[in-house]
């Protein structure tokens, strides 16, 4: 399933909180997000929170059903779930309220800030509860995978100049390229990804030193930055100043 800009906004809140706590950022997986989408749809249709969906499944089974191959490197999963009848304000404020609620709960925080997790899927949607036609549902799915580490990030046009991702600012079609540099200083393998509708990307990145660039296909590349990938994920955002087409790369986790 495509990651929406509302999903990405929720992900970015969590990513920066994890980074502030000295934890690795999470690679975003569409397969894991299918688990979250299935679960928010179930919560909306049944008006309840239940990890087992009425005793019909388990979190592990939901991952398997969604095509997340638990037999080839994935070895731990977790799930957070919540809904709200609504907070005052716009969609971003609803998501921020859910984020704060999760962080106020020790059990939910234990999943969000588990240092062993390195991948996430998420689904945020508007639905209805009895008497509340504009309720909000959210599911966060976590996994540990030996298929990393990853370089992750988001490309966004900073329309309000606040240096943060907001809904409506994600930019698809930005090509992010990591070129691994050998011990002799000569470029070796290149790994690329093109940002989706939310502006997000995740690239498997074997440990090493990389030169990173980002560009729209019809414009000049960003100034390059050098990053070091060790055993954990890193984050490199492509911040696009308002009204321009040339990103500025912002690395984290270095």
């Amino acid at each position: 399933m495509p990651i929406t800009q509302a999903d990405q906004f929720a992900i970015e809140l969590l990513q920066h909180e994890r980074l502030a706590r000295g934890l690795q950022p999470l690679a975003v997986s569409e397969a894991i997000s299918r688990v979250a989408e299935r679960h928010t749809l179930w919560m909306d249709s049944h008006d309840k929170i239940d990890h087992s969906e009425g005793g019909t499944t388990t979190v592990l089974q939901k991952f398997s059903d969604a095509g997340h191959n638990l037999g080839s490197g994935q070895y731990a999963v977790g799930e957070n779930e919540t809904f709200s009848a609504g907070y005052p304000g716009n969609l971003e404020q609803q998501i921020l309220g859910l984020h704060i609620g999760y962080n106020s709960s020790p059990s939910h925080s234990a999943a969000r800030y588990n240092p062993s997790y390195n991948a996430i899927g998420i689904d945020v949607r508007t639905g209805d509860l009895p008497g509340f036609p504009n309720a909000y549902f959210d599911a966060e799915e976590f996994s540990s995978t030996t298929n990393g580490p990853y370089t992750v990030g988001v490309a966004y046009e900073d329309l309000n100049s606040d240096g943060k991702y907001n809904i409506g600012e994600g930019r698809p079609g930005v090509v992010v390229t990591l070129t691994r540099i050998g011990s002799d200083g000569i470029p070796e393998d290149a790994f690329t990804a093109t940002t989706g509708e939310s502006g997000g990307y995740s690239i498997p990145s074997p440990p090493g030193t990389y030169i990173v660039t980002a560009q729209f296909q019809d414009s000049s590349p960003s100034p390059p930055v050098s990053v070091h990938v060790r055993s954990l994920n890193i984050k490199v955002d492509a911040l696009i100043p308002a009204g321009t087409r040339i990103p500025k790369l912002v690395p984290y986790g270095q």
Side-chain angles (χ1 to χ4, degrees):
M1 58 164 285
I3 306 298
T4 69
Q5 297 213 8
D7 298 335
Q8 191 73 47
F9 179 74
I11 289 166
E12 293 304 306
L13 290 174
L14 178 56
Q15 299 283 48
H16 286 283
E17 183 67 31
R18 284 180 63 94
L19 288 165
R21 297 181 184 214
L23 301 172
Q24 65 179 322
L26 302 169
V28 180
S29 164
E30 289 197 9
I32 303 177
S33 290
R34 286 194 292 272
V35 180
E37 180 186 43
R38 161 185 168 162
H39 197 56
T40 56
L41 287 169
W42 187 91
M43 287 193 291
D44 186 14
S45 64
H46 290 79
D47 296 332
K48 65 174 63 176
I49 290 176
D50 180 357
H51 290 290
S52 72
E53 298 180 1
T56 63
T57 190
T58 64
V59 175
L60 191 66
Q61 185 61 49
K62 284 184 280 188
F63 273 72
S64 180
D65 291 346
H68 189 59
N69 189 347
L70 298 165
S72 60
Q74 284 76 21
Y75 56 86
V77 298
E79 178 178 77
N80 281 339
E81 57 179 5
T82 191
F83 61 59
S84 165
Y87 302 97
N90 61 21
L91 179 57
E92 286 192 358
Q93 291 167 312
Q94 307 303 317
I95 295 170
L96 180 59
L98 297 175
H99 172 75
I100 292 170
Y102 278 141
N103 285 347
S104 299
S105 163
S107 61
H108 292 101
S109 290
R112 301 187 110 207
Y113 306 113
N114 184 329
S116 72
Y117 289 145
N118 67 353
I120 188 173
I122 198 166
D123 188 58
V124 179
R125 69 178 54 249
T126 303
D128 64 86
L129 293 168
F132 298 96
N134 292 303
Y136 295 86
F137 297 82
D138 176 86
E140 300 177 335
E141 313 291 339
F142 303 96
S143 176
S144 300
T145 171
T146 57
N147 294 338
Y150 294 83
T151 300
V152 307
V154 65
Y156 66 100
E157 185 176 358
D158 193 15
L159 297 174
N160 59 1
S161 301
D162 69 347
K164 301 176 183 178
Y165 180 96
N166 298 105
I167 295 173
E169 292 185 341
R171 293 295 175 261
V174 176
V175 180
V176 180
T177 301
L178 281 70
T179 303
R180 185 159 55 180
I181 305 301
S183 58
D184 56 3
I186 296 175
E188 297 179 341
D189 304 325
F191 305 88
T192 67
T194 301
T195 60
E197 288 302 314
S198 72
Y201 75 92
S202 296
I203 304 176
S205 312
T209 298
Y210 292 86
I211 298 298
V212 186
T213 60
Q215 68 183 109
F216 289 100
Q217 294 181 343
D218 61 353
S219 66
S220 300
S222 66
V225 299
S226 177
V227 299
H228 302 282
V229 178
R230 298 176 176 86
S231 61
L232 301 177
N233 298 346
I234 67 168
K235 181 171 170 62
V236 181
D237 287 346
L239 188 159
I240 305 162
T244 74
R245 298 280 289 173
I246 300 178
K248 173 186 175 182
L249 296 177
V250 183
Y252 301 88
Q254 291 293 284

